[in-house]
């Protein structure tokens, strides 16, 4: 970022694609960001705003001034406008929407009336719908003359008189068909999948992925066509959903962007660490039951973290596979028991292998065969629990209607810590003293 | 799955979309799978094979018999054939390819000659390329009469006389333009992004996501057009890359599918657990240095896992954010130091908060204010290290050309365990005894 030579920088910037500018804004420090925004102001492409994280977008909009932004966003398709304004403060949102035409504004406001993370939020209103009695020629003529069509579209939606979608015609098929042929005879009814406007975006993404869709018509609860979802929006949803899973597994909030303020980030991570503190204290209480045992044999204090750590790691392996398989619908109630049995078997086998290894290491280290046997037995017990609960916890959360990624790992490590310490210290107290 | 009433099951199955049958095969046990394959045999859609995991696909192919499969796959586009055969054993691969026409086989074999996970493997050979001096009308006539076009396409690629791509015409633009207009005047040169055939698929996915592309021409190293990549292939790549990151963070192999055999899964997870055993032993060695201290004050053994666990969790939060940000290119060398400083600050602030909390709990629990002060100080030290290494480790791996998701978390927890135990027990030995 050449901070000094402004005119040169301006020249460089004006050659960049808006997506590259969005990347630059993300990498910049806040003072660099202000300079960058000044550079892009004269030649501002509103699509840039759709590429930014929520917080960054808010910052850039306030740097640009709502007035300039309001003017610019009237060029965008309705789904992009929704993306830009949905997380703004109410006042800013109102001001931006005020600059839109009445029809545009009504469209955006209706979209905002649907719950977050549903099809209604990601669909666009601009679409191409035609009746099934038209010919291909009529359709092409209509497309050539119509205004107000979306910027890009890939499928033409065929509707019945009640404006319900009955089929789609991929553009590649329309363009290859002779003009006199009727739409009804070329439309594809089999590969059309309609989405209800209140459907969760996660399910929409799954549908697109499973069926390799490029676009899907969206209907309201009476079956009337109200919008269309295209694959580029779905790619963003897939990104979001994955990020959510990955972050939730690690106890990080979704809003935890690189560009968030230090204090916000600290606070958002605090909660998870607090939960973890309670579970760590629970594990410590188990240890405190065996204080006397440890005092007599300090080697137990040295070795006990090994049992807990191996249990935590084996359990996390199972947990991650299960969370992922639930997200891709590979793991459902149909095969849940089979998967649980398998995971317990896998962890049990690894438990056996590591019982032998850890037992041998312990034997040599402390010259105590019985101590080796105790740590080996504790290892097997803890890994069996790890496999069982690594699979059970996400399945249970899913059944309870909770995202299986949320807090799975806290539950799991609590169990593997408690079981690990209890099994190891308990066996030691029984057999070694 | 009605196992008894075969004719009814057959009827149900024949109504299902191939993607649903693929899901069913994934959920089924191996004996159910054999029955299912018998049911789909009469009406077998080869696209089904592209929806299966590698191991499952191999199983289904051997159940169906290579001969039946060979016949069926000749209907597929070349990228789908590549997907079906690329991980088969050589003999089966040869037999399947033998059933293709010479041109088809040459195409597939050339695709297989490109390295795994590159553009060459995911592109399809079937594409629509036209010269820029044609008119829109000529183009439409060509599309109507040409055979051997891909099943679906979204952009027409415009090539110069050396068959290098010079622009693209989105179909929606072609269909809306009047017949006499020249392709040269409607083609989009700005939003075309060509991909070199040896480019890694991860970079291709990033490009599609950043630019919201629907398709991109693929060129060889002389710039000649050799294929096209479409967004549906990229969605699969995005899936794969994410799964890889998530699995690698948890120490699970990518080939660890629900359908893998128990013994394979056990073995693939063993390595990671073995690495973890060594690091756990390293942490134990730190503890063993302080055996005498623990013997004098057993409360230390009770409390020490809290320090280690909080460090591990805070570090994992930072690590996950960093791994994810590197994958999305939000974190690069441009802003690395700023992110590291921020993460250390966030962890330091949380360290302060939890120093107070844990210190207070310890004070009340053991009625020992100095012990509370010691655990608080150790907490701050460990969380600072957690933030620093949570960000440094993935950045370092990335710089060394290693996937930052691989083994990041083992390195990190080794550091937070060792630092946690050392800081807590060391401070205790110095100030409490």
């Amino acid at each position: 970022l050449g901070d000094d030579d402004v005119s040169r920088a301006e020249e460089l910037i004006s050659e960049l694609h808006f997506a590259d500018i969005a990347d630059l804004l993300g990498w910049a420090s806040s003072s660099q960001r202000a300079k960058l925004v000044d550079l892009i102001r004269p030649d501002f492409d509103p699509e840039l705003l759709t590429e930014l994280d929520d917080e960054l977008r808010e910052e850039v909009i306030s740097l640009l001034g709502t007035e300039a932004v309001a003017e610019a966003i009237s060029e965008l398709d309705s789904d992009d406008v929704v993306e830009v304004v949905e997380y703004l403060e109410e006042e800013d949102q109102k001001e931006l929407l005020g600059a839109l035409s009445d029809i545009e504004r009504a469209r955006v406001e209706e979209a905002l009336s649907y719950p977050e993370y549903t099809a209604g939020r990601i669909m666009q209103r601009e679409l191409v719908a035609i009746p099934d009695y038209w010919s291909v020629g009529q359709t092409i003529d209509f497309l050539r003359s119509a205004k107000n069509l979306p910027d890009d579209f890939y499928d033409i939606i065929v509707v019945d008189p009640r404006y319900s979608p009955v089929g789609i015609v991929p553009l590649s098929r329309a363009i290859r068909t002779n003009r006199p042929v009727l739409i009804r005879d070329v439309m594809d009814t089999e590969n059309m999948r309609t989405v209800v406007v209140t459907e969760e975006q996660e399910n929409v993404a799954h549908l697109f992925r499973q069926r390799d869709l490029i676009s899907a018509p969206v209907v309201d609860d009476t079956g009337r066509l109200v919008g269309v979802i295209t694959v580029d929006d779905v790619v963003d949803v897939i990104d979001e959903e994955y990020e959510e899973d990955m972050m939730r597994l690690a106890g990080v909030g979704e809003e935890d962007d690189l560009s968030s303020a230090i204090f916000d980030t600290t606070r958002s991570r605090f909660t998870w660490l607090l939960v973890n503190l309670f579970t760590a204290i629970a594990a410590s209480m188990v240890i405190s039951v065996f204080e006397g045992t440890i005092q007599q044999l300090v080697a137990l204090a040295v070795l006990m973290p090994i049992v807990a750590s191996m249990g935590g790691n084996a359990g996390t392996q199972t947990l991650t596979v299960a969370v992922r398989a639930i997200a891709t619908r590979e793991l459902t109630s149909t095969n849940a028991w089979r998967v649980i049995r398998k995971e317990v078997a896998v962890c049990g086998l690894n438990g056996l292998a590591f019982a032998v290894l850890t037992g041998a290491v312990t034997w040599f280290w402390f010259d105590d065969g019985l101590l080796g046997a105790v740590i080996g037995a504790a290892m097997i017990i803890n890994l069996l629990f790890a496999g069982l609960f690594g699979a059970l916890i996400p399945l249970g959360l899913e059944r309870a209607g909770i995202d299986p990624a949320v807090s799975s790992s806290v539950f799991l490590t609590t169990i593997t810590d408690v079981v690990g310490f209890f099994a190891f210290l308990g066996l030691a107290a029984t057999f070694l003293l």
Side-chain angles (χ1 to χ4, degrees), chain A residues 29-99:
Chain A
S29 67
S30 40
S31 65
Q32 291 172 322
R33 216 171 278 153
K35 283 185 197 153
L36 260 173
V37 170
D38 281 335
L39 288 174
I40 58 173
R41 195 190 303 276
D43 203 23
F44 172 62
D45 181 341
E47 282 208 65
L48 166 66
L49 294 172
T50 66
E51 302 285 329
L52 299 173
D53 283 334
D54 296 333
E55 291 191 34
L56 203 54
R57 184 186 304 128
E58 210 168 324
E59 193 184 326
V60 171
I61 290 178
S62 79
L63 283 170
L64 279 166
T66 37
E67 231 168 294
V69 176
E71 200 173 314
I73 62 168
S74 57
E75 292 167 28
L76 294 175
D77 276 345
S78 57
D79 58 334
D80 291 334
V81 177
V82 171
E83 206 183 328
V84 170
V85 303
E86 65 182 337
Y87 297 115
L88 292 181
E89 281 168 41
E90 209 168 319
E91 207 172 309
D92 292 338
Q93 199 182 79
K94 256 193 175 151
E95 194 171 340
L96 288 188
L97 293 183

Side-chain angles (χ1 to χ4, degrees), chain A residues 82-323:
Chain A
V82 171
E83 206 183 328
V84 170
V85 303
E86 65 182 337
Y87 297 115
L88 292 181
E89 281 168 41
E90 209 168 319
E91 207 172 309
D92 292 338
Q93 199 182 79
K94 256 193 175 151
E95 194 171 340
L96 288 188
L97 293 183
L100 299 178
S101 71
D102 288 349
I103 298 176
E104 266 289 287
R105 191 172 54 247
R107 282 177 168 175
V108 172
E109 278 169 354
E110 197 194 324
L112 290 174
S113 74
Y114 296 116
E116 270 184 82
Y117 311 122
T118 59
R121 287 285 181 110
I122 54 173
M123 71 180 184
Q124 64 183 45
R125 296 328 186 86
E126 295 82 1
L127 52 80
V128 182
I130 57 165
D132 69 348
Y133 53 80
W134 280 12
S135 69
V136 168
Q138 255 176 306
T139 306
I140 293 180
D141 293 341
F142 164 74
L143 293 175
R144 288 204 180 126
S145 61
K147 298 205 166 66
N148 243 332
L149 290 185
D151 296 338
D152 285 307
F153 55 96
Y154 317 104
D155 296 311
I156 300 167
I157 302 167
V158 186
V159 287
D160 66 13
R162 280 166 310 143
Y163 213 66
S164 281
V166 292
I168 51 170
V169 185
L171 276 188
S172 56
R173 197 184 292 190
I175 210 168
R176 298 184 61 187
T177 308
N178 289 319
R179 291 181 60 95
V181 177
L182 288 183
I183 288 294
R184 152 177 331 135
D185 299 325
V186 286
M187 74 183 183
D188 188 344
T189 53
E190 212 171 285
N191 289 308
M192 180 185 73
R193 283 285 170 285
T194 53
V195 172
V196 178
V197 71
T198 50
E199 185 68 63
E200 280 183 44
Q201 63 175 18
E202 194 181 338
N203 299 334
V204 176
H206 183 252
L207 182 74
F208 268 72
R209 234 169 2 199
Q210 201 211 20
R211 295 293 163 93
D212 289 341
L213 299 179
I214 295 296
S215 71
V218 182
V219 295
D220 63 17
D221 45 14
T222 68
R224 213 172 159 284
L225 179 67
V226 292
V228 64
I229 293 176
T230 52
V231 67
D232 55 312
D233 304 315
V234 170
V235 168
D236 293 341
V237 171
I238 294 175
D239 266 353
E240 259 177 55
E241 296 290 333
Y242 270 112
E243 179 156 326
E244 204 180 87
D245 273 1
M246 202 167 149
M247 295 293 169
R248 282 181 170 173
L249 272 178
V252 183
E254 297 145 55
E255 67 294 339
D256 195 331
D257 296 320
L258 290 191
S259 53
S260 309
I262 287 179
F263 188 69
D264 293 340
T265 307
T266 306
R267 209 177 34 195
S268 85
R269 295 196 196 162
F270 176 86
T271 320
W272 172 266
L273 292 175
L274 186 64
V275 174
N276 186 64
L277 178 62
F278 285 120
T279 69
I281 289 174
S284 290
M285 284 176 168
V286 174
I287 301 174
S288 77
V289 172
F290 297 98
E291 273 190 36
T293 318
I294 293 173
Q295 192 132 34
Q296 287 178 59
L297 191 60
V298 182
L300 297 178
V302 173
L303 293 170
M304 66 186 186
I306 298 181
V307 181
S309 154
M310 294 298 286
N313 275 281
T316 303
Q317 291 180 328
T318 296
L319 185 75
T320 307
V321 170
V323 166

Side-chain angles (χ1 to χ4, degrees), chain A residues 310-372:
Chain A
M310 294 298 286
N313 275 281
T316 303
Q317 291 180 328
T318 296
L319 185 75
T320 307
V321 170
V323 166
R324 170 76 190 142
I326 290 173
T328 58
R329 322 275 159 104
E330 283 169 69
L331 173 52
T332 64
S333 51
T334 320
N335 57 352
W337 283 110
R338 208 162 51 239
V339 170
I340 292 171
R341 276 202 308 271
K342 177 187 161 184
E343 289 298 330
V344 172
V346 166
C347 285
L349 283 175
N350 268 328
L352 271 176
F354 285 101
V356 173
L357 272 171
T358 318
V361 169
T362 303
W363 190 358
F364 283 105
W365 190 355
F366 293 94
D367 197 20
D368 184 342
L370 200 54
L371 183 58

